Amino acid sequence: MGKSLRNRIIFIVAVLLVSVYGIIGIPKGGLKESLARNIHLGLDLKGGTHLVLQVQVVEALSHATDTAVATLEDELTKAGVTGTVVTKPNPDHPEIIQVSGIPAAKLGDARGVFNNGNYATYDLGSNADGSQTLTMKVGAIRDLETRALDQSIETIRDRIDKLGVSEPVIEKYGLGDNEILVELPGIDDPGHVQDVIQSTARLEIHEVTGGPYPTDADAMSANPAGLPPDSMLVHGNGAPGTGDQVWMVKRVSVVAGTDFRDAQPSQDENARPDITFNLTTAAGDRFYKFTDEHKGTGQMAIILDNKVKEVATIQSAIRDTGRITGGFTSDQAKDLSMLLRTGSLPASIKYLETRTVGPSLGAASIRQGVIAAVIGMLVVMAFMLVYYRGAGINADLALVLNLVILLGFLGYSHASLTLPGIAGVILTIGMGVDSNVLIFERIREELRSGKTAAMAVQEGFKHAWVTIVDTHVTTIVSAAILFLFGTGPVKGFAVTLTIGLLANIFTAVLVSRVIFDAELRNKDRNAALSI
């Protein structure tokens, strides 16, 4: 046996062994269990939950301009521009901020604030009544919407990962409608997952400046001159069992969601569930400064999703560790601490589509798909044996190895096998047969022209090679486009088709040629070839 032929055989055997290991790994508990452990099934085969969500990005825009309003009020006051009213005049257009009541003598100072660099993402305009309007630029709005969508995907992915869901699909969906596709194979309690996904868990700590008041009207009566520009009213209990109350707090929080480093469920001294949190170093320093300045008399409100959960008197300076109580159950404390660890969603989400795929449908799909693939493959293999005789064995071995390589890739990559993916496998089988037919027919033509078997094999592979590569490359390009723009099962089809075609080139050209060369090596120069 020549060195070249031996090396090619060793390479093929190595690929076969590596592929088999990818399919079953180290066998534990039987072949079926090993297959189930290494070959992951997609949502349509395993069953689970299919969700399409839409991020309400207008809320993220509103949060951004709320912060700008609070900052603007503070900076105008520091610049000596008093008596102004900073509002967002149109609820349907939260990107617009209006500043009215600017004294004529202070207009220059106000413009200095507007142009200090903090509002570079806004266009400044003057109105006939002397008020000034800041409108967020279109490019800035698009950037903010993109960040809100990306952050939502990351937050949802973190929350799903914490729930222990394997092989989830979480990705952008549709064309520019701020939609997210979520597919969760094997989930039989979609309600709980939906609750976890859509919970905002926006936690903030604010300084309390007034209250509690029984109602909003009572709060306004207690402040006849109107609320201070840097304050706002927030509803909540303040303490367990106190009922709804109204608190006046500083508009700008002392610490917010991104300042939390960790949160864990715990229990207080009476064994009641609560949550212990830790702040980042920078936030801890800021929190220490605030609590040190207000210890003894100051109060702070812990606000969760715009509701006061707890109001506490600041007894001493606190640096980076705190505790949230609020009459939680153990499960609520566990879920809330998980939400705090994964961060808050930048905006609420709306469910556009919720669909559950039952496992019985998945099992039926698997059974039908496997039966179709096996029958199709057996029919094709029988045809190749009948029509091409000895060379048919060559083609059948290449087809089996093609399937082994494809499944091995799925095992290594942890890509999910979907029902369209099975269709991709079947299509790959057809393409593999087509490649062998091209090669065999060219070999037959060369034999009819009077060439020897060795020369006919060499010329047959040489001439068929270009056609095989051409057909496979164009199909792979089509599959790549499907992968880029498709979702879920469609991507599964694109993956199995692409890998199957690459394996097909390997088996139809290299493996088939090696088998021919090994067969011809032991024959006379003028011996006939069974084809």
Side-chain angles (χ1 to χ4, degrees):
M1 181 181 294
K3 184 177 179 181
S4 173
L5 180 60
R6 184 175 64 249
N7 289 341
R8 283 184 287 164
I9 292 175
I10 292 174
F11 177 64
I12 292 169
V13 172
V15 171
L16 176 62
L17 293 176
V18 170
S19 299
V20 170
Y21 182 80
I23 297 172
I24 60 175
I26 299 175
K28 294 178 182 176
L31 181 61
K32 187 175 180 180
E33 288 75 11
S34 298
L35 278 172
R37 189 169 53 251
N38 289 275
I39 305 298
H40 298 281
L41 302 180
L43 181 72
D44 52 352
L45 297 180
K46 191 175 183 179
T49 301
H50 168 99
L51 306 169
V52 177
L53 323 173
Q54 186 178 54
V55 180
Q56 306 300 294
V57 294
V58 68
E59 292 183 8
L61 175 62
S62 185
H63 289 319
T65 50
D66 280 344
T67 302
V69 167
T71 307
L72 195 54
E73 290 172 339
D74 187 52
E75 291 184 351
L76 286 171
T77 302
K78 289 180 179 176
V81 185
T82 57
T84 59
V85 177
V86 185
T87 59
K88 295 197 296 184
N90 189 342
D92 295 330
H93 293 279
E95 72 277 13
I96 299 175
I97 299 173
Q98 184 170 310
V99 185
S100 56
I102 304 174
K106 292 291 185 179
L107 186 57
D109 293 334
R111 284 187 172 275
V113 171
F114 301 148
N115 296 314
N116 66 5
N118 291 337
Y119 308 97
T121 56
Y122 290 84
D123 288 322
L124 178 63
S126 299
N127 303 313
D129 61 357
S131 62
Q132 305 292 307
T133 301
L134 288 84
T135 305
M136 187 176 286
K137 297 176 181 177
V138 174
I141 293 175
R142 288 176 181 164
D143 290 343
L144 190 147
E145 290 177 345
T146 301
R147 289 199 306 274
L149 185 61
D150 292 341
Q151 184 183 341
S152 297
I153 290 175
E154 290 305 313
T155 302
I156 292 172
R157 180 174 288 116
D158 286 344
R159 292 179 179 182
I160 295 298
D161 288 344
K162 294 290 189 300
L163 290 174
V165 179
S166 63
E167 297 291 318
V169 175
I170 305 166
E171 59 192 13
K172 294 179 183 177
Y173 183 70
L175 299 175
D177 294 326
N178 305 309
E179 295 174 4
I180 300 173
L181 171 70
V182 178
E183 291 188 340
L184 309 173
I187 290 297
D188 56 2
D189 186 10
H192 180 236
V193 174
Q194 289 183 38
D195 290 342
V196 170
I197 288 177
Q198 70 185 4
S199 297
T200 303
R202 185 182 179 88
L203 184 65
E204 298 171 308
I205 297 177
H206 290 251
E207 179 186 351
V208 176
T209 56
Y213 307 105
T215 63
D216 287 343
D218 293 322
M220 297 305 295
S221 298
N223 297 273
L227 294 180
D230 62 348
S231 297
M232 63 180 182
L233 298 179
V234 184
H235 287 246
N237 295 333
T242 56
D244 185 63
Q245 296 173 311
V246 181
W247 300 83
M248 187 165 69
V249 301
K250 287 279 190 182
R251 188 182 297 274
V252 178
S253 62
V254 181
V255 293
T258 54
D259 295 323
F260 290 89
R261 178 164 50 88
D262 189 23
Q264 295 292 338
S266 57
Q267 292 183 333
D268 63 12
E269 56 277 4
N270 296 315
R272 292 175 300 196
D274 61 12
I275 299 163
T276 302
F277 64 85
N278 297 97
L279 301 174
T280 61
T281 302
D285 293 341
R286 191 167 66 247
F287 195 48
Y288 179 84
K289 182 174 182 294
F290 166 75
T291 51
D292 188 49
E293 291 174 351
H294 296 82
K295 62 184 177 185
T297 56
Q299 286 186 310
M300 60 181 181
I302 297 176
I303 299 177
L304 179 66
D305 294 341
N306 297 321
K307 291 283 186 183
V308 174
K309 290 299 289 186
E310 186 178 357
V311 173
T313 300
I314 304 170
Q315 302 291 348
S316 59
I318 306 169
R319 181 167 294 279
D320 59 358
T321 300
R323 193 171 66 183
I324 307 171
T325 61
F328 304 115
T329 65
S330 296
D331 289 340
Q332 287 172 334
K334 183 179 178 182
D335 285 348
L336 180 56
S337 60
M338 185 270 287
L339 295 175
L340 293 175
R341 289 198 302 274
T342 56
S344 62
L345 288 168
S348 65
I349 56 177
K350 177 182 178 182
Y351 285 97
L352 301 181
E353 181 181 350
T354 301
R355 184 158 48 90
T356 302
V357 180
S360 59
L361 176 60
S365 300
I366 293 174
R367 185 171 57 255
Q368 294 169 359
V370 170
I371 290 174
V374 170
I375 292 177
M377 194 164 180
L378 290 176
V379 170
V380 167
M381 292 172 73
F383 171 80
M384 297 300 285
L385 287 172
V386 171
Y387 194 73
Y388 290 107
R389 295 171 292 176
I393 299 175
N394 187 336
D396 291 348
L397 289 175
L399 281 178
V400 172
L401 182 56
N402 189 343
L403 187 61
V404 172
I405 293 174
L406 175 56
L407 293 177
F409 171 82
L410 292 177
Y412 281 113
S413 66
H414 302 298
S416 297
L417 180 62
T418 62
L419 189 58
I422 294 177
V425 173
I426 296 173
L427 182 57
T428 297
I429 293 173
M431 294 284 286
V433 173
D434 188 46
S435 301
N436 282 290
V437 169
L438 279 173
I439 295 170
F440 294 170
E441 290 301 322
R442 290 309 302 254
I443 292 175
R444 281 181 169 182
E445 288 180 9
E446 299 297 335
L447 290 172
R448 285 195 290 268
S449 68
K451 290 188 174 65
T452 63
M455 282 300 297
V457 169
Q458 181 178 335
E459 292 298 318
F461 274 94
K462 179 181 176 182
H463 292 301
W465 163 253
V466 175
T467 305
I468 292 173
V469 171
D470 181 56
T471 56
H472 281 64
V473 167
T474 53
T475 310
I476 288 173
V477 170
S478 302
I481 294 173
L482 279 178
F483 184 83
L484 287 175
F485 295 100
T487 60
V490 176
K491 281 192 172 183
F493 172 78
V495 168
T496 55
L497 181 59
T498 301
I499 302 306
L501 291 176
L502 292 175
N504 200 27
I505 294 176
F506 172 76
T507 57
V509 178
L510 178 62
V511 176
S512 184
R513 178 64 186 272
V514 165
I515 296 174
F516 272 120
D517 288 348
E519 179 186 359
L520 293 172
R521 181 178 177 277
N522 298 319
K523 289 187 175 182
D524 293 335
R525 176 181 174 81
N526 296 319
L529 186 65
S530 177
I531 188 169

